Amino acid sequence: MRHRGSRPALRGRRGDRRRGYARPMSHQDSSSFEHLETIAIHAGNTADPLTGAVVPPIYQVSTYKQDGVGGLRGGYEYSRSANPTRTALEDNLAALEGGRRGLAFASGLAAEDCLLRALLKPGDHVVIPNDAYGGTFRLFARVVARWGVEWSVADTSDPAAVRAAVTPATRLIWVETPSNPLLGITDIAVVAEIARGAGARLVVDNTFASPYLQQPIALGADVVVHSLTKYMGGHSDVVGGALVAADAAIGEELAFHQNAMGAIAGPFDSWLVLRGIKTLPVRMDRHSENAGRVAEMLTRHPKVTRVLYPGLPEHPGHGIAAKQMKAFGGMVSFQVEGGEEAAVAVCDRARLFTLGESLGGVESLIEHPGRMTHASVAGSALEVPADLVRLSVGIEAVDDLLADLEQALG
Ligand SMILES: *Cc1c(COP(=O)(O)O)cnc(C)c1O
């Protein structure tokens, strides 16, 4: 019997078929690299065995010639199950997050959908944060809930609130830190302890921080979720998602579901993300530096009533962020005097900050969460303030960014 979805290595022995969804032989022992800057560039990125090409080629192919029935070259048989460009990215992701298995998907939400269907069944209960990404909330509330999964919302920055939300049926606790768009901070190690005590798994959406700034698995998370669309890709040119499992058994379960459900990342998208990741550390340093300057300027601005940035000492999660993050990231939200109309006007007046959804690219973006990214949570426990503006601070010259915000605030 042949198993679709074996995870082959590019240089696997001829005819060598790995069974099931076991982790593939690594091209390169990335565990020997100590530093994330090196892992980002080298994990999964071996020279092409055929040509020596120093980056993995885009294997734009659906199927692979077999040398006799079942005689796979390196284990590849069909690109939904495995494709060498995607394998390179998946190995890179696993190494970056310090997990046993990385899996790449067509979008962040496709990754989340796969995770939830793999780990939950009717009657199970999940705890979700009160400021989750809007699409994550919509997936729970309007899709997964229809299949009999119960959920409750908790302020995950408050461990007592998480404990209170846990029921005997809780199988999963979802954490997003820093959160979108309120930049709330959750103590990952503390919630990991609560999850363990409850027999539940801890899932951390690490999209805002990236593995360069924060390592959830080292802090006790079972699965890390990414929208690769954001900082990992980093150039606003690709939509993708990822799951990284801390443990091989969960990794196999997720890999089975990835193949069974099929929402995989294509070869070109995988290649773009892999390229983006190489500069992740330098980009995150600059994003964090620029965002820190922007946040500081906003705190002094007379039209700004509140600045939400974990790097500010007055942020309620500052101490925890300083403990579990290397720097504070590129996302800054703020509230303005004059309510919703004033917030919308700031967004409209910005010129260098492009008005648009999404985040994490090299170019700065501005948006009004209430009417844009978080419109889907209006009227729910996750509703965001109407006078809130969210910035994705890019890596341009910070003085140009500051000048644009000054003029936009009028
Ligand atoms: C964008 C985003 C997602 C969803 O990812 P897509 O790639 O848009 O499907 C999930 N979580 C967070 C924190 C996000 O910002």
Side-chain angles (χ1 to χ4, degrees), residues 256-320:
F256 167 80
H257 281 82
Q258 180 196 41
N259 182 53
M261 288 156 57
I264 48 153
F268 183 51
D269 288 357
S270 297
W271 185 88
L272 281 171
V273 175
L274 202 52
R275 183 172 71 159
I277 285 172
K278 288 174 188 166
T279 55
L280 177 75
V282 288
R283 286 187 285 106
M284 292 316 292
D285 280 341
R286 179 67 166 261
H287 281 298
S288 301
E289 200 182 303
N290 282 359
R293 291 281 305 280
V294 164
E296 188 183 283
M297 179 278 254
L298 291 171
T299 55
R300 283 185 274 105
H301 200 285
K303 298 249 174 78
V304 174
T305 54
R306 187 165 166 233
V307 183
L308 305 168
Y309 185 63
L312 295 172
E314 61 267 32
H315 186 287
H318 176 70
I320 293 158

Side-chain angles (χ1 to χ4, degrees), residues 185-191 213-215 219 310 317-328:
I185 297 293
T186 293
D187 190 323
I188 296 172
V190 166
V191 177
L213 298 184
Q214 178 172 277
Q215 299 263 299
L219 296 167
H318 176 70
I320 293 158
K323 187 182 70 175
Q324 70 186 15
M325 299 176 76
K326 184 182 166 76
F328 302 102

Side-chain angles (χ1 to χ4, degrees), residues 107-109 112 133 136 176 180 205 207-208 227 229-230 239-240 359:
S107 71
L109 283 173
E112 294 184 18
Y133 171 69
T136 299
E176 197 183 303
N180 181 6
D205 183 335
T207 299
F208 266 37
S227 170
T229 316
K230 316 294 170 52
V239 172
L359 59 109

